[in-house]
Structures are given as structure tokens and as C-alpha cells.
Amino acid sequence: MPTKTLASTPVEVNDEGFFVDANQWTKEMAPEIAAEIGVPTPLTDRHWTVIDLMRSEYFDKGTGPTVRKISKLSDVSTKELFVLFPKGPAKLAALVAGIPKPKGCI
């Protein structure tokens, strides 16, 4: 597996850039990942609502939630998700949250 350095810490990622071990992620890494993949920065409280939900769902259920589930579980609408995480909210949010690619993401 490839290794990437984020916030001065080496982490294992797969070929698509998703963390292999979500426990290696820190909040300090999120802005760096976001800027690298085209997510608007600085990260806002709305971004963090989604990031925290992604991590919580991953650790509870073993995969990140879909866009529909994110909207249902939070007060972030689908439209807003596409503003916060353009070009694929569930996939980009998972990358920023340091979790593996959610099931169902292309």
C-alpha cells in the first residue's frame, strides 16, 4: 500500500487515496486533504458536521453513509452537500474524514 504524509505523519492509503486504517487520521489532516482534492477551505462547521457523521457511521456500521443517509441523519441538505463537497459528496467527505471508500461509491 502507498504511504502519504499528512500533517507531518505518514499514513497508509489505497490506490484511490482512501485511508487503509481510519485510526491513523487526525483532525489536523482534514484541511490538508480537503485542499488537495478540491473541497472548499477553510473547513466550516457544516463541513465538520458531515466529517464527524462520516466517521461516526463508519465506526458504528463499518462503512460511510450515502449522500441520502447523510442528509437524513444531519440537517445538511443534499444540495448543500454538493456545495460543501463538490463532485461527489459521499466520496469526498470520506476522503476528508479519513475513512475507507463507502460501499456504493463509484
Side-chain angles (χ1 to χ4, degrees):
M1 292 277 165
T3 301
K4 185 177 202 172
T5 301
L6 296 164
S8 302
T9 305
V11 295
E12 274 190 85
V13 296
N14 68 14
D15 292 336
E16 293 182 89
F18 289 92
F19 276 57
V20 173
D21 179 0
N23 291 307
Q24 290 186 311
W25 180 88
T26 65
K27 285 191 174 219
E28 293 75 29
M29 294 174 182
E32 192 174 326
I33 298 166
E36 184 179 293
I37 62 172
V39 170
T41 54
L43 296 175
T44 65
D45 289 344
R46 302 298 279 170
H47 284 101
W48 284 106
T49 295
V50 175
I51 293 165
D52 291 339
L53 175 67
M54 295 297 286
R55 291 189 61 79
S56 173
E57 284 291 298
Y58 172 74
F59 284 109
D60 287 348
K61 301 198 171 83
T63 188
T66 62
V67 171
R68 182 177 292 188
K69 188 90 167 183
I70 296 167
S71 288
K72 186 177 180 182
L73 295 174
S74 70
D75 63 344
V76 181
S77 70
T78 301
K79 184 178 180 178
E80 185 179 3
L81 281 170
F82 277 91
V83 172
L84 295 170
F85 299 94
K87 300 179 186 171
K91 183 176 179 178
L92 295 184
L95 281 164
V96 176
I99 64 170
K101 186 177 181 179
K103 292 176 180 151
C105 277
I106 311 173

